[in-house]
Amino acid sequence: CHLYFDCFKKISSVLKRAKKAEVKHFIVPGVNLKTSKQALSLAEKFKHIHSSLGIHPFEIDKTDLSLKKQIFFCKLTSLPLVI
């Protein structure tokens, strides 16, 4: 679930409703570098949110894949909060 979307800005109420519905975990996928960072940030704040980092095929043409960004991305994906 893309919990970084604007419609989920009130994350605490979203998580309360999910708990009532017996949702145990979320996987928040990043589709580019910006949203991958947002997904990781949510995973760092909430123990039942996990992040998946990557670049969606629709985003590949819009993504700067310079060596510096590739190295940074590799460091992010090696974190224990990342699935």
Side-chain angles (χ1 to χ4, degrees):
C1 185
H2 300 274
L3 293 175
Y4 47 76
F5 282 174
D6 287 341
C7 60
F8 299 121
K9 279 192 176 185
K10 296 182 181 180
I11 190 74
S12 60
S13 64
V14 171
L15 297 178
K16 284 179 187 177
R17 289 194 315 269
K19 186 175 181 177
K20 285 182 183 180
E22 298 184 24
V23 174
K24 305 287 186 215
H25 296 273
F26 286 92
I27 297 175
V28 180
V31 298
N32 56 36
L33 187 56
K34 177 184 174 187
T35 59
S36 290
K37 288 179 184 178
Q38 291 171 319
L40 183 58
S41 177
L42 287 168
E44 290 172 333
K45 291 177 186 170
F46 302 99
K47 65 179 181 178
H48 55 287
I49 294 179
H50 309 279
S51 59
S52 169
L53 311 183
I55 300 172
H56 192 279
F58 292 147
E59 295 286 325
I60 199 71
D61 291 339
K62 301 179 248 179
T63 303
D64 174 8
L65 294 176
S66 66
L67 183 59
K68 184 178 177 182
K69 287 198 176 188
Q70 288 178 50
I71 292 169
F72 176 73
F73 208 74
C74 288
K75 286 181 181 178
L76 284 180
T77 57
S78 67
L79 296 173
L81 297 170
V82 177
I83 298 174

